[in-house]
Structure formats: C-alpha cells, structure tokens
Amino acid sequence: MYGLWGFERLKLRMMVVMLLMLVLSLFEQNMSFSSPLNSEGLALLRFKQRVVSDPFGALSNWKEIDGEIDPCSWFGVECSDEKVVILNLKDLCLVGNLGPEFGKLENLKSIILRNNSFSGSIPQEIGELKELEVLDLGFNNFSGPFPSDFGNNLSLTTLLLDNNEFLGNLAPEIYEVKMLSEFQVDENRLTDAATIPSCKSSGFPW
C-alpha cells in the first residue's frame, strides 16, 4: 500500500516539474517577443496579411526565419537604433487595406505608400504616431473620414493625399499641413512622378 502511495507521489512531482517547465518555456517566448523590434515586426506581418495582391513580390522576404523576426532586413523597411523608422513601399501596385497595427509602429517617422491600390479608410492609429514626419498616401483608393488626430501632430511636415477617393471631414489644421507639404515636394520628384505609370491605371506594365 505504501509503495503505491509513493508511486502516486512520484507521478505528482513529475507532473509539477513538467508544468513548471512549460510555464518557463512560455515565459521565455513572451520575453523574446516583448522587444520593440519583434513587436514591430509582428505588426508589419499583420500589415502584410492585409495585402491581397503583391504583383512584384516586394513583400516576399517579410517572414519569420528560424523563429527570428528581423524587420530591419525586409524590403522597404529602414531602422535606426533597432527601431522601425521608415516604411517606403511606393510604386509597387500593392492591393489591400490598412489596419490598426500601425499603432504598434510608434517610432515611425515616414510612411510612403504612394502609387499603390490601397483602399478603405485611413486607420485612426496612424494619426496617433507622434514621431511621424512624412505621410505620403497619394495615388491610392483611400476614402472616408480622415483621422482627426493629425491636427494635433506637431511632428508632421509632409502630408500628400492627392489622387484618392473622396476624403471627407478634414479638419482645418489638415489643410494647413497639406499646403505646407506641397511646397516641400521638389521639382525632380514631381517630374519622376509624372513619368511613372499609375497603379490605378489599367495600362500599367505588369
């Protein structure tokens, strides 16, 4: 009888040890994903999931490799001090929409999605990016109300919304920022933009 009880106690101890090991393993995984770079990488992967068409395969290297997420090595992503600061995916004819995951990219200084086919509304979370200086969403299919928080963003210097669907309910402060940004677009950039076929045009050379 004592031997049976001792065996049951041993089984119980083994179960406790296995449970502790499982908890420690989960804790280590959470710690590995808690770094800013990994959380930003996960946010960018969620953004990629919303892209339903990538005709040039621009986002093909946006993936987890051997359990590691390194967004700084991805196409169109630039980092500084291990923080994602620039997202430049212009002229790629990407089709999709934007979601709240941009709120996780709190160190972004520049978002350039010019000349794609993104549609839907511009997420409110983009307006909450306090470090954002440049937002270029020209030549897309965005529609609906514009995030009101942009009027309070003192860092924003360049805002380009040209050639989109109707964007209603723009605050007066947004018009002021837009007027300032139009003077900051140099002639070379305007010339280059004129020579690049629009992704909104059916005549784009795929």
Side-chain angles (χ1 to χ4, degrees), residues 9 17 25 29 31-32 36 45 76 88 97 99 103 105 107 118-119 137 141 163 185 199:
R9 290 180 61 185
V17 170
S25 176
Q29 290 182 16
M31 288 293 292
S32 66
L45 287 177
N88 186 353
N97 57 69
L105 304 169
N107 300 295
F118 288 106
S119 59
L137 302 179
N141 299 308
N163 288 279
V185 179
C199 291

Side-chain angles (χ1 to χ4, degrees), residues 50-55 92-97 116-119 206:
R50 295 178 180 273
V51 176
V52 297
S53 178
D54 178 8
L92 296 173
C93 296
L94 300 173
V95 179
N97 57 69
N116 285 286
S117 292
F118 288 106
S119 59
W206 297 102

